[in-house]
Amino acid sequence: MNIVVLAGGLSTERDVSFVTGNNVANALRKNGHKVILLDVFMGYSNKAEDLTGIFERGPKVSAKITGISSEAPDLEAVKRSREDQSDSLFGPNVIELCRMADIVFMALHGENGEDGRIQAAFDLYGIKYTGTGYLSSALAMDKELSKRLFSANGIPVPAGISMEKENCQWDLKETGLRLPCVVKPCCGGSSIGVSIVRTEEEYQQALKEAFQWEEKILIEDYIQGREFSVGVMDFQALPVIEIAPLEGFYDYKNKYAAGSAVETCPADLPAAVTEAMQSYAEKAADVLGLTTYARMDFLLDAQERIYCLEANTLPGMTPVSLLPQEALAVGMNFEQLCEEIIQISMKKYR
């Protein structure tokens, strides 16, 4: 197959997306496919190009990849570096190349990539792509909406409120919540802008940090407990994985710095807890209408109460990512996982 692996973009998770995309592109080439790794924002060439036969020279025209920095990328600098200075998310030749592909492997993370906008555009252009559709992507991306749907369908979530920047409440007592609490952007990923708050001073600083990234945030009860994740592929839950950061919580640094967290799969849990968590993961996917694959994140407190935090519609595929580890636990290596995602995704178009 001719495949475009679409990465980069203008998300705070831009760097992570490139590493995901590079891993996926290499795996698909090993599987015998002709692959181009493409930055959705920078595109390919600013000149009029004859794209005939471009998949034959895929690696030569692919985006160049660097590692994941310890800080989120400077997106304004990224915008300034684009030669044509267009304000379109789609860089030169992106739509043309994607239309030429048999399928686009979505290696994007965060804004635009996971919020359904690119999926909707591709639907209009008749471009096939991996992962779930535009509506389910949008629902999962908005943590407030997804939490409401989870709660209404019997999936336990942490108590909390949403807050908009224009109506910011600087006095925690006025919110009805207590310390400790968690402050986070409503639609962001990779734990960027997330703070665990234990004092009034930390609360006000956390608001400033979260509002740097978005106009709407969530404030939730802090759940002291263990962190887990459960992948769902083709409506079936994978083994549960536990994430135990060596320091702090599972933030941006601990997610992507090798050796910063201990990950155990299958997780060491009582059978009943494992089954309940997997059941909640499958139900969460069903409630949001997620197809193909996704990953749900959970907390488990000392009383073995489960809380669903969010759904990820395009889970990371980096060397330390969770979904590949879960797949490996059932005997599916990385190349097989990438192939399975394509095959499941193609079902939408039959």
Side-chain angles (χ1 to χ4, degrees):
M1 296 174 72
N2 292 335
I3 300 173
V4 166
V5 175
L6 202 60
L10 287 177
S11 158
T12 53
E13 298 174 84
R14 174 179 170 84
D15 292 349
V16 182
S17 170
F18 277 134
V19 178
T20 281
N22 196 46
N23 287 343
V24 169
N26 289 335
L28 293 176
R29 289 185 186 118
K30 288 181 183 177
N31 291 348
H33 301 292
K34 297 171 185 175
V35 182
I36 293 172
L37 176 59
L38 188 62
D39 182 346
V40 66
F41 181 69
M42 293 298 183
Y44 169 67
S45 180
N46 289 304
K47 306 172 186 175
E49 293 277 350
D50 180 3
L51 301 177
T52 304
I54 195 168
F55 284 93
E56 302 294 337
R57 45 195 174 93
K60 295 181 181 179
V61 301
S62 288
K64 300 299 181 283
I65 304 305
T66 58
I68 302 173
S69 65
S70 59
E71 302 292 336
D74 183 345
L75 298 180
E76 291 305 314
V78 173
K79 292 177 184 177
R80 290 193 298 270
S81 69
R82 180 161 148 177
E83 287 187 30
D84 66 2
Q85 288 297 289
S86 168
D87 59 0
S88 171
L89 175 69
F90 294 114
N93 293 306
V94 168
I95 294 298
E96 292 83 350
L97 286 168
C98 289
R99 293 191 73 180
M100 291 169 65
D102 295 304
I103 193 167
V104 175
F105 196 110
M106 299 289 277
L108 296 159
H109 301 312
E111 187 178 1
N112 298 314
E114 288 191 82
D115 62 11
R117 285 188 255 186
I118 290 179
Q119 288 84 349
F122 281 0
D123 286 344
L124 294 175
Y125 277 112
I127 295 170
K128 298 180 177 69
Y129 55 89
T130 59
T132 196
Y134 72 91
L135 179 57
S136 50
S137 295
L139 290 173
M141 187 73 175
D142 189 314
K143 295 183 179 68
E144 183 194 18
L145 281 177
S146 56
K147 278 186 64 177
R148 287 185 185 183
L149 289 169
F150 292 162
S151 184
N153 287 275
I155 302 169
V157 296
I161 62 169
S162 62
M163 183 184 294
E164 295 188 5
K165 192 172 186 177
E166 62 182 4
N167 299 315
C168 181
Q169 180 51 259
W170 293 98
D171 186 350
L172 180 64
K173 297 183 183 69
E174 297 297 321
T175 68
L177 297 174
R178 297 175 298 175
L179 295 171
C181 65
V182 177
V183 177
K184 59 186 179 184
C186 185
C187 298
S190 287
S191 298
I192 293 173
V194 176
S195 303
I196 297 176
V197 175
R198 292 182 170 84
T199 68
E200 286 281 350
E201 293 75 17
E202 287 179 355
Y203 168 71
Q204 295 183 9
Q205 185 58 42
L207 293 184
K208 294 176 184 177
E209 171 66 21
F211 280 129
Q212 282 188 56
W213 303 102
E214 292 180 28
E215 298 292 307
K216 186 177 181 181
I217 65 173
L218 295 181
I219 307 171
E220 299 176 335
D221 287 345
Y222 172 65
I223 308 298
Q224 178 71 47
R226 299 159 65 188
E227 300 181 55
F228 300 88
S229 192
V230 184
V232 176
M233 290 192 67
D234 207 12
F235 310 106
Q236 297 293 314
L238 292 169
V240 179
I241 187 169
E242 179 172 9
I243 310 103
L246 299 181
E247 294 182 5
F249 69 103
Y250 200 45
D251 59 6
Y252 186 85
K253 178 182 177 182
N254 285 330
K255 275 181 165 73
Y256 304 114
S260 59
V262 176
E263 290 151 0
T264 306
C265 187
D268 183 12
L269 288 169
V273 175
T274 294
E275 291 170 8
M277 202 175 289
Q278 289 177 313
S279 177
Y280 283 138
E282 292 175 352
K283 190 171 186 179
D286 181 61
V287 164
L288 296 176
L290 303 178
T291 62
T292 312
Y293 72 120
R295 199 196 75 231
M296 268 51 75
D297 296 336
F298 295 92
L299 287 172
L300 182 73
D301 70 12
Q303 288 73 45
E304 295 188 343
R305 291 177 296 208
I306 299 170
Y307 298 87
C308 186
L309 299 179
E310 62 179 278
N312 302 272
T313 55
L314 294 175
M317 302 279 272
T318 74
V320 293
S321 293
L322 304 177
L323 187 76
Q325 295 185 61
E326 294 179 58
L328 190 60
V330 292
M332 188 185 301
N333 66 29
F334 191 77
E335 289 78 18
Q336 291 169 329
L337 173 61
C338 293
E339 196 69 32
E340 185 68 10
I341 288 171
I342 288 175
Q343 296 306 316
I344 296 171
S345 298
M346 289 297 285
K347 291 180 181 179
K348 295 182 294 185
Y349 304 105
R350 291 174 188 154

Coordinates of all heavy atoms in Angstrom, one line a residue, residues 125-186:
Y125 N -12.9 15.3 1.6 CA -12.0 15.1 0.4 C -12.0 13.6 0.0 O -11.4 13.3 -1.0 CB -10.6 15.4 0.8 CG -10.3 16.9 0.7 CD1 -10.0 17.7 1.8 CD2 -10.3 17.5 -0.6 CE1 -9.7 19.0 1.7 CE2 -10.0 18.9 -0.7 CZ -9.7 19.6 0.4 OH -9.4 21.0 0.3
G126 N -12.7 12.7 0.7 CA -12.7 11.3 0.4 C -11.4 10.6 0.7 O -11.0 9.6 0.0
I127 N -10.7 11.1 1.7 CA -9.4 10.5 2.1 C -9.6 9.5 3.2 O -10.2 9.8 4.2 CB -8.4 11.7 2.5 CG1 -8.1 12.6 1.4 CG2 -7.1 11.1 3.1 CD1 -7.4 13.9 1.8
K128 N -9.1 8.3 3.0 CA -9.1 7.3 4.1 C -8.1 7.6 5.1 O -6.9 7.9 4.8 CB -9.0 5.9 3.4 CG -10.0 5.5 2.4 CD -9.7 4.1 1.9 CE -10.8 3.6 0.9 NZ -10.8 4.4 -0.3
Y129 N -8.4 7.3 6.4 CA -7.5 7.6 7.5 C -7.7 6.6 8.6 O -8.8 6.0 8.7 CB -7.6 9.0 8.0 CG -9.0 9.4 8.5 CD1 -9.4 9.1 9.8 CD2 -9.9 9.9 7.6 CE1 -10.7 9.5 10.2 CE2 -11.2 10.3 8.0 CZ -11.6 10.0 9.3 OH -12.9 10.4 9.7
T130 N -6.7 6.4 9.4 CA -6.8 5.5 10.6 C -7.5 6.2 11.7 O -7.4 7.4 11.9 CB -5.4 5.0 11.0 OG1 -4.6 6.1 11.4 CG2 -4.7 4.2 9.9
G131 N -8.0 5.4 12.6 CA -8.6 5.9 13.8 C -10.1 6.2 13.7 O -10.7 6.0 12.6
T132 N -10.6 6.8 14.7 CA -12.0 7.0 14.8 C -12.4 8.3 14.0 O -11.5 9.0 13.5 CB -12.5 7.2 16.3 OG1 -13.9 7.1 16.4 CG2 -12.0 8.5 16.9
G133 N -13.7 8.6 13.8 CA -14.2 9.7 13.0 C -14.2 11.0 13.7 O -13.7 11.2 14.8
Y134 N -14.7 12.0 13.0 CA -14.6 13.4 13.5 C -15.4 13.6 14.7 O -15.0 14.3 15.7 CB -15.0 14.4 12.4 CG -16.5 14.4 12.0 CD1 -17.3 15.3 12.7 CD2 -17.0 13.6 11.1 CE1 -18.6 15.4 12.3 CE2 -18.4 13.6 10.8 CZ -19.2 14.5 11.4 OH -20.5 14.6 11.1
L135 N -16.6 13.1 14.8 CA -17.5 13.4 15.9 C -17.0 12.8 17.2 O -16.9 13.5 18.3 CB -19.0 13.0 15.7 CG -20.0 13.2 16.8 CD1 -20.0 14.7 17.2 CD2 -21.3 12.7 16.4
S136 N -16.6 11.5 17.2 CA -16.1 10.8 18.4 C -14.8 11.4 18.8 O -14.5 11.5 20.0 CB -16.0 9.3 18.1 OG -15.3 9.1 16.9
S137 N -14.0 11.9 17.8 CA -12.7 12.5 18.1 C -13.0 13.8 18.9 O -12.3 14.1 20.0 CB -11.9 12.9 16.9 OG -11.5 11.7 16.2
A138 N -14.0 14.6 18.5 CA -14.3 15.9 19.1 C -14.8 15.6 20.6 O -14.4 16.4 21.5 CB -15.3 16.6 18.3
L139 N -15.7 14.6 20.7 CA -16.2 14.4 22.1 C -15.1 13.9 23.0 O -15.1 14.4 24.2 CB -17.3 13.3 21.9 CG -18.6 13.6 21.3 CD1 -19.5 12.4 21.1 CD2 -19.3 14.7 22.0
A140 N -14.2 13.1 22.6 CA -13.2 12.6 23.4 C -12.2 13.7 23.8 O -11.6 13.7 24.9 CB -12.4 11.4 22.8
M141 N -11.9 14.6 22.9 CA -10.9 15.7 23.1 C -11.4 16.6 24.2 O -10.6 17.1 24.9 CB -10.7 16.4 21.8 CG -9.6 17.4 21.8 SD -8.0 16.7 21.8 CE -7.0 18.1 21.7
D142 N -12.7 16.9 24.3 CA -13.2 17.8 25.2 C -13.5 17.0 26.5 O -14.4 16.3 26.7 CB -14.5 18.4 24.7 CG -15.0 19.5 25.6 OD1 -15.0 19.4 26.9 OD2 -15.4 20.6 25.1
K143 N -12.6 17.2 27.5 CA -12.7 16.4 28.7 C -13.9 16.7 29.5 O -14.5 15.8 30.2 CB -11.4 16.7 29.6 CG -10.1 16.2 29.0 CD -9.0 16.4 30.0 CE -7.7 15.9 29.4 NZ -7.2 16.7 28.2
E144 N -14.5 17.9 29.5 CA -15.7 18.2 30.2 C -16.9 17.4 29.5 O -17.7 16.8 30.3 CB -16.0 19.7 30.1 CG -17.3 20.0 30.9 CD -17.8 21.4 30.7 OE1 -17.5 22.0 29.7 OE2 -18.6 21.9 31.5
L145 N -17.0 17.5 28.2 CA -18.1 16.7 27.6 C -18.0 15.2 27.8 O -18.9 14.5 28.1 CB -18.1 17.0 26.1 CG -18.7 18.4 25.6 CD1 -18.5 18.5 24.1 CD2 -20.1 18.4 26.0
S146 N -16.7 14.7 27.6 CA -16.6 13.3 27.8 C -16.9 12.8 29.2 O -17.5 11.8 29.5 CB -15.2 12.8 27.4 OG -14.2 13.5 28.1
K147 N -16.5 13.7 30.2 CA -16.8 13.3 31.6 C -18.3 13.3 31.8 O -18.8 12.4 32.6 CB -16.2 14.3 32.5 CG -14.7 14.1 32.9 CD -14.2 15.0 33.9 CE -14.9 14.8 35.2 NZ -14.3 15.7 36.3
R148 N -19.0 14.2 31.2 CA -20.5 14.2 31.4 C -21.1 13.0 30.8 O -22.0 12.3 31.4 CB -21.1 15.4 30.7 CG -20.8 16.8 31.4 CD -21.6 17.9 30.6 NE -21.3 19.2 31.2 CZ -21.9 20.3 30.7 NH1 -22.8 20.2 29.8 NH2 -21.6 21.5 31.3
L149 N -20.6 12.6 29.6 CA -21.1 11.3 29.0 C -20.7 10.1 29.8 O -21.6 9.2 30.0 CB -20.6 11.2 27.6 CG -21.2 12.2 26.6 CD1 -20.4 12.2 25.3 CD2 -22.6 11.9 26.3
F150 N -19.5 10.1 30.4 CA -19.1 8.9 31.2 C -20.0 8.8 32.4 O -20.6 7.8 32.7 CB -17.7 9.1 31.7 CG -16.6 9.0 30.6 CD1 -15.4 9.5 30.8 CD2 -16.9 8.4 29.4 CE1 -14.4 9.4 29.8 CE2 -16.0 8.3 28.4 CZ -14.7 8.8 28.6
S151 N -20.2 10.0 33.1 CA -21.0 10.0 34.4 C -22.4 9.6 34.1 O -23.0 8.8 34.9 CB -20.9 11.4 35.0 OG -21.6 11.4 36.2
A152 N -23.0 10.0 33.0 CA -24.4 9.7 32.7 C -24.6 8.3 32.3 O -25.7 7.8 32.4 CB -24.9 10.6 31.5
N153 N -23.5 7.6 32.0 CA -23.6 6.2 31.6 C -22.9 5.2 32.6 O -22.5 4.1 32.3 CB -22.9 6.0 30.2 CG -23.8 6.6 29.1 OD1 -24.7 5.9 28.6 ND2 -23.6 7.8 28.7
G154 N -22.8 5.7 33.9 CA -22.3 4.8 34.9 C -20.8 4.6 35.0 O -20.4 3.7 35.7
I155 N -20.0 5.4 34.3 CA -18.6 5.3 34.4 C -18.1 6.3 35.4 O -18.3 7.5 35.2 CB -18.0 5.6 33.0 CG1 -18.5 4.6 32.0 CG2 -16.4 5.5 33.1 CD1 -18.1 4.9 30.5
P156 N -17.5 5.9 36.5 CA -17.1 6.8 37.5 C -16.0 7.8 37.1 O -15.0 7.4 36.4 CB -16.6 5.9 38.7 CG -16.2 4.6 38.0 CD -17.1 4.5 36.8
V157 N -16.1 9.1 37.5 CA -15.1 10.1 37.2 C -14.9 10.9 38.4 O -15.7 11.0 39.3 CB -15.6 11.0 36.0 CG1 -15.8 10.2 34.7 CG2 -16.9 11.7 36.4
P158 N -13.8 11.6 38.5 CA -13.5 12.5 39.7 C -14.5 13.7 39.6 O -14.9 14.2 38.6 CB -12.1 13.0 39.4 CG -11.5 12.0 38.5 CD -12.6 11.5 37.6
A159 N -15.0 14.1 40.8 CA -15.9 15.2 40.9 C -15.1 16.5 40.5 O -13.9 16.6 40.8 CB -16.4 15.4 42.3
G160 N -15.8 17.5 40.0 CA -15.1 18.7 39.6 C -16.0 19.6 38.8 O -17.2 19.4 38.7
I161 N -15.4 20.7 38.4 CA -16.1 21.8 37.7 C -15.3 22.2 36.5 O -14.1 21.9 36.4 CB -16.4 23.0 38.5 CG1 -15.1 23.6 39.0 CG2 -17.3 22.6 39.7 CD1 -15.2 25.0 39.7
S162 N -15.9 22.9 35.5 CA -15.2 23.6 34.5 C -15.1 25.1 34.8 O -16.0 25.6 35.5 CB -15.8 23.3 33.1 OG -17.1 23.8 33.1
M163 N -14.2 25.8 34.2 CA -14.1 27.2 34.4 C -13.5 27.9 33.1 O -12.6 27.4 32.5 CB -13.1 27.5 35.6 CG -13.0 29.0 36.0 SD -11.8 29.2 37.3 CE -12.6 28.4 38.7
E164 N -14.2 29.0 32.8 CA -13.7 29.7 31.6 C -12.9 30.9 32.1 O -13.1 31.5 33.1 CB -14.8 30.2 30.7 CG -15.6 29.0 30.1 CD -16.6 29.4 29.1 OE1 -16.7 30.6 28.8 OE2 -17.4 28.5 28.6
K165 N -11.9 31.3 31.2 CA -10.9 32.4 31.6 C -11.6 33.7 31.9 O -11.3 34.4 32.9 CB -9.9 32.6 30.5 CG -8.7 33.4 30.9 CD -7.7 33.4 29.7 CE -6.4 34.1 30.2 NZ -5.4 34.0 29.1
E166 N -12.7 34.0 31.2 CA -13.4 35.3 31.4 C -14.2 35.3 32.7 O -14.5 36.4 33.2 CB -14.3 35.6 30.2 CG -15.4 34.6 30.0 CD -16.2 34.9 28.8 OE1 -15.9 35.9 28.1 OE2 -17.2 34.2 28.5
N167 N -14.5 34.1 33.2 CA -15.2 34.0 34.5 C -14.3 33.3 35.6 O -14.9 32.6 36.4 CB -16.5 33.3 34.3 CG -17.4 34.0 33.3 OD1 -17.6 35.2 33.4 ND2 -18.0 33.3 32.4
C168 N -13.1 33.6 35.5 CA -12.1 32.9 36.4 C -12.4 33.2 37.9 O -12.7 34.4 38.3 CB -10.7 33.3 36.1 SG -9.5 32.5 37.1
Q169 N -12.5 32.2 38.7 CA -12.7 32.3 40.2 C -11.4 32.0 40.9 O -11.0 30.9 41.0 CB -13.8 31.3 40.6 CG -14.1 31.4 42.1 CD -14.4 32.8 42.6 OE1 -13.6 33.4 43.2 NE2 -15.6 33.3 42.3
W170 N -10.8 33.1 41.4 CA -9.5 33.0 42.0 C -9.5 32.5 43.4 O -8.5 32.0 43.9 CB -8.8 34.4 42.0 CG -8.4 34.8 40.6 CD1 -9.1 35.7 39.8 CD2 -7.3 34.4 39.8 NE1 -8.5 35.8 38.6 CE2 -7.4 35.1 38.6 CE3 -6.2 33.5 40.0 CZ2 -6.5 34.9 37.5 CZ3 -5.3 33.3 39.0 CH2 -5.4 34.0 37.8
D171 N -10.7 32.5 44.0 CA -10.9 32.0 45.4 C -11.4 30.6 45.3 O -12.5 30.4 44.9 CB -11.8 32.9 46.2 CG -11.9 32.5 47.7 OD1 -11.4 31.5 48.0 OD2 -12.5 33.3 48.4
L172 N -10.6 29.6 45.7 CA -11.0 28.2 45.6 C -12.2 27.9 46.4 O -13.1 27.1 46.0 CB -9.8 27.3 46.1 CG -10.1 25.8 46.1 CD1 -10.3 25.4 44.6 CD2 -9.0 25.0 46.7
K173 N -12.4 28.6 47.5 CA -13.6 28.4 48.4 C -14.9 28.6 47.6 O -15.9 28.0 47.9 CB -13.5 29.2 49.7 CG -12.4 28.9 50.6 CD -12.4 29.8 51.8 CE -11.2 29.6 52.7 NZ -10.0 30.1 52.1
E174 N -14.9 29.6 46.7 CA -16.0 30.0 45.9 C -16.4 28.9 44.9 O -17.5 28.9 44.4 CB -15.8 31.3 45.2 CG -15.6 32.5 46.2 CD -16.8 32.7 47.1 OE1 -18.0 32.6 46.5 OE2 -16.7 33.0 48.3
T175 N -15.5 28.0 44.6 CA -15.8 26.9 43.6 C -16.5 25.7 44.2 O -17.1 24.9 43.5 CB -14.5 26.4 43.0 OG1 -13.7 25.7 44.0 CG2 -13.6 27.5 42.4
G176 N -16.5 25.6 45.6 CA -17.1 24.5 46.2 C -16.2 23.3 46.3 O -16.6 22.2 46.8
L177 N -15.0 23.4 45.8 CA -14.0 22.3 45.9 C -13.1 22.5 47.0 O -12.9 23.6 47.6 CB -13.2 22.3 44.6 CG -14.0 22.0 43.3 CD1 -13.2 22.1 42.1 CD2 -14.7 20.6 43.4
R178 N -12.4 21.5 47.4 CA -11.4 21.5 48.5 C -10.0 21.1 48.0 O -9.9 20.5 47.0 CB -11.9 20.6 49.6 CG -13.2 20.9 50.3 CD -13.6 19.9 51.3 NE -13.8 18.6 50.6 CZ -14.1 17.4 51.3 NH1 -14.2 17.4 52.6 NH2 -14.3 16.3 50.6
L179 N -9.0 21.5 48.8 CA -7.7 21.0 48.6 C -7.5 19.6 49.1 O -8.1 19.2 50.1 CB -6.7 22.0 49.2 CG -6.7 23.4 48.7 CD1 -5.8 24.3 49.6 CD2 -6.2 23.4 47.3
P180 N -6.6 18.8 48.5 CA -5.9 19.1 47.2 C -6.9 18.9 46.0 O -7.9 18.2 46.1 CB -4.8 18.0 47.2 CG -5.4 16.9 48.0 CD -6.2 17.5 49.1
C181 N -6.5 19.5 44.9 CA -7.3 19.4 43.7 C -6.3 19.4 42.5 O -5.1 19.6 42.7 CB -8.3 20.5 43.6 SG -7.6 22.2 43.4
V182 N -6.9 19.1 41.4 CA -6.1 19.1 40.1 C -6.7 20.1 39.2 O -7.9 20.2 39.0 CB -6.2 17.7 39.5 CG1 -5.4 17.7 38.1 CG2 -5.6 16.6 40.4
V183 N -5.8 20.9 38.6 CA -6.2 22.0 37.6 C -5.6 21.6 36.3 O -4.4 21.3 36.2 CB -5.7 23.4 38.1 CG1 -6.0 24.4 37.0 CG2 -6.3 23.7 39.4
K184 N -6.4 21.6 35.2 CA -5.8 21.2 33.9 C -6.6 21.8 32.8 O -7.8 22.1 32.9 CB -5.8 19.6 33.8 CG -7.2 19.0 33.9 CD -7.1 17.5 33.9 CE -8.4 16.8 34.1 NZ -8.3 15.3 34.2
P185 N -6.0 22.0 31.6 CA -6.7 22.4 30.5 C -7.8 21.4 30.0 O -7.6 20.2 30.3 CB -5.6 22.5 29.4 CG -4.3 22.7 30.1 CD -4.5 21.9 31.4
C186 N -8.8 22.0 29.5 CA -10.0 21.1 29.1 C -9.7 20.2 28.0 O -10.2 19.0 27.9 CB -11.2 22.0 28.8 SG -12.7 21.1 28.5

